[in-house]
Amino acid sequence: MSASQWVILAIICGTVEIFTVGFWFLWLSLSALLVALGVSLGWMSTIESQLLVFAFLTLIFIIFTRPLVLKLIHTNDTVSNVNALIGQHGVVTNQISPLQYGQIKLNGEIWTAAAAQEIETGARVKVIAIDGVKLVVESAQSEV
């Protein structure tokens, strides 16, 4: 492949990275640019050597630099599924015992709940974990 073909491949990978932002295609793009540089300097004349260097550089970039970049890039991800319930408070609608599930009302919805201690109907609880489709709660009376 010629240096210009490697540059085109780098541009394509860079464009895909812009739309996916997963930091996978970025390393492919950088590797393609480095191979294009090597081809233009005459260091790699065969397609086998070009592909070998491309694969090696991509692997090195992904293994050693991707984790560092992901740590440096802080995203403001909002928890949007059931894990968003952890830390929220609800009210017990059906008594909860250590060996028997009860129910709580949380955000206008009724959830099955479990607790390590007995919690009476009407008590305020805090969600501390999710166990399948059940909420694990603890008494929130002391947090008032």
Side-chain angles (χ1 to χ4, degrees):
M1 286 177 61
S2 68
S4 60
Q5 290 172 319
W6 281 106
V7 169
I8 290 169
L9 179 64
I11 291 170
I12 291 169
C13 289
T15 303
V16 171
E17 179 62 38
I18 288 170
F19 290 108
T20 61
V21 195
F23 293 107
W24 291 105
F25 286 92
L26 173 65
W27 311 127
L28 293 169
S29 180
L30 291 175
S31 297
L33 285 175
L34 290 174
V35 170
L37 178 66
V39 169
S40 67
L41 294 175
W43 294 343
M44 294 172 267
S45 56
T46 65
I47 187 70
E48 291 85 8
S49 63
Q50 294 171 16
L51 290 175
L52 185 64
V53 170
F54 176 73
F56 177 75
L57 288 173
T58 301
L59 188 65
I60 294 300
F61 282 145
I62 289 173
I63 291 173
F64 294 108
T65 60
R66 185 174 185 271
L68 296 174
V69 170
L70 291 177
K71 284 182 183 177
L72 292 175
I73 304 297
H74 297 288
T75 59
N76 294 328
D77 291 337
T78 303
V79 180
S80 61
N81 55 17
V82 74
N83 291 328
L85 299 176
I86 296 176
Q88 292 190 17
H89 292 84
V91 177
V92 177
T93 59
N94 191 1
Q95 181 179 351
I96 305 170
S97 299
L99 298 176
Q100 185 177 2
Y101 297 120
Q103 292 182 332
I104 68 167
K105 187 170 188 175
L106 179 69
N107 296 333
E109 297 178 345
I110 300 295
W111 290 86
T112 301
Q117 74 273 11
E118 188 166 319
I119 304 174
E120 297 294 324
T121 302
R124 190 165 182 249
V125 292
K126 178 180 178 182
V127 179
I128 58 172
I130 309 293
D131 182 19
V133 295
K134 294 175 282 305
L135 304 180
V136 180
V137 297
E138 66 182 5
S139 178
Q141 299 301 334
S142 60
E143 295 182 20
V144 177

